[in-house]
Amino acid sequence: MHRLFSGIAALILIAAPATARDILFVGNSFTFGAGSPVERYRPDSVTDLNREGIGGVPALFRSFAEQAGLDWSVSLETSPGKDLAFHYANKRAAIDRRWDVVILQGYSTLDAENPGDPTRHGIAAGRLAALVHARNPRAQVNLVETWSRADLTYRPGSRWSGMPIMTMANDLAAARSRRGAHHARHRRHDPGGIGLEPCDRARGGRCQPL
């Protein structure tokens, strides 16, 4: 698990603009590594906007940046089991400041009430991206796609029960692609732009700039 989180942090560092200096991670347990040593890894090296003493992937990112000779200011705003709509509705005041890069990580099934439905996820991602770009039009906002959950394929009662685990991965990827297509149509009005780049593709996780 530690290796997985390290890989994600390294890929985000590679994808980040060379001139950026301030980065914010928004997400849930996938971002802070719940139940793993990563969760409390070097919390003093990052700024936890919720003051919960979390290190997580953001702290790993900070360590890799330091090893690369880069001076990044790293912050995080995380809450377990929450989606992006929660962060926009309840944590907007903390998020609403100038950032060079923002990493958005949503709910593992996109929507807790309607698994696989990207509507709520996409709307919240767009609103958070707009919030960030209002402060810094050139900010890079990356939307992270989480990896598939095996427990939702072998247990009964899930949308993906009895299906290959790649079915869930493909559904998440399709939702990400639809969100990307929506932003691409408006790219001329959005200096932050949109593109697509891999983020832990082998595990089903991807990230995409909004």
Side-chain angles (χ1 to χ4, degrees):
M1 184 64 74
H2 186 278
R3 183 177 299 175
L4 170 58
F5 290 124
S6 296
I8 294 173
L11 285 168
I12 292 171
L13 178 60
I14 293 170
T19 57
R21 286 295 178 267
D22 296 291
I23 185 170
L24 170 67
F25 290 78
V26 177
N28 53 39
S29 59
F30 281 73
T31 292
F32 66 73
S36 76
V38 173
E39 182 174 359
R40 300 297 173 181
Y41 175 73
R42 294 189 66 200
D44 57 321
S45 68
V46 297
T47 299
D48 183 351
L49 300 183
N50 295 327
R51 300 180 180 180
E52 296 173 338
I54 298 294
V57 171
L60 287 174
F61 174 92
R62 175 63 188 272
S63 290
F64 294 151
E66 290 174 350
Q67 292 169 22
L70 302 174
D71 184 20
W72 280 79
S73 175
V74 182
S75 299
L76 62 120
E77 191 283 291
T78 58
S79 186
K82 300 301 192 297
D83 62 5
L84 293 178
F86 168 87
H87 294 283
Y88 183 79
N90 298 281
K91 302 294 184 176
R92 192 159 64 247
I95 296 170
D96 188 15
R97 62 185 73 177
R98 191 187 186 286
W99 307 101
D100 294 314
V101 179
V102 174
I103 307 297
L104 302 176
Q105 177 261 306
Y107 197 74
S108 59
T109 63
L110 301 176
D111 188 323
E113 298 297 325
N114 299 289
D117 184 345
T119 306
R120 176 182 169 95
H121 175 73
I123 290 172
R127 287 175 174 172
L128 286 167
L131 185 71
V132 172
H133 288 144
R135 290 283 188 174
N136 178 13
R138 300 186 65 83
Q140 177 177 310
V141 183
N142 282 35
L143 180 60
V144 175
E145 174 192 326
T146 61
W147 53 88
S148 303
R149 288 174 50 185
D151 63 310
L152 295 181
T153 62
Y154 67 78
R155 292 177 179 172
S158 163
R159 170 190 172 119
W160 297 279
S161 295
M163 298 181 183
I165 195 167
M166 281 304 299
T167 301
M168 183 176 182
N170 291 337
D171 285 350
L172 296 176
R176 177 215 58 200
S177 296
R178 284 194 293 273
R179 189 67 209 163
H182 171 78
H183 277 277
R185 289 194 295 270
H186 302 281
R187 184 168 185 173
R188 288 176 301 173
H189 309 291
D190 179 5
I194 186 167
L196 178 63
E197 55 193 319
C199 185
D200 196 31
R201 184 182 183 90
R203 299 261 184 172
R206 300 174 179 87
C207 59
Q208 138 183 354
L210 296 179

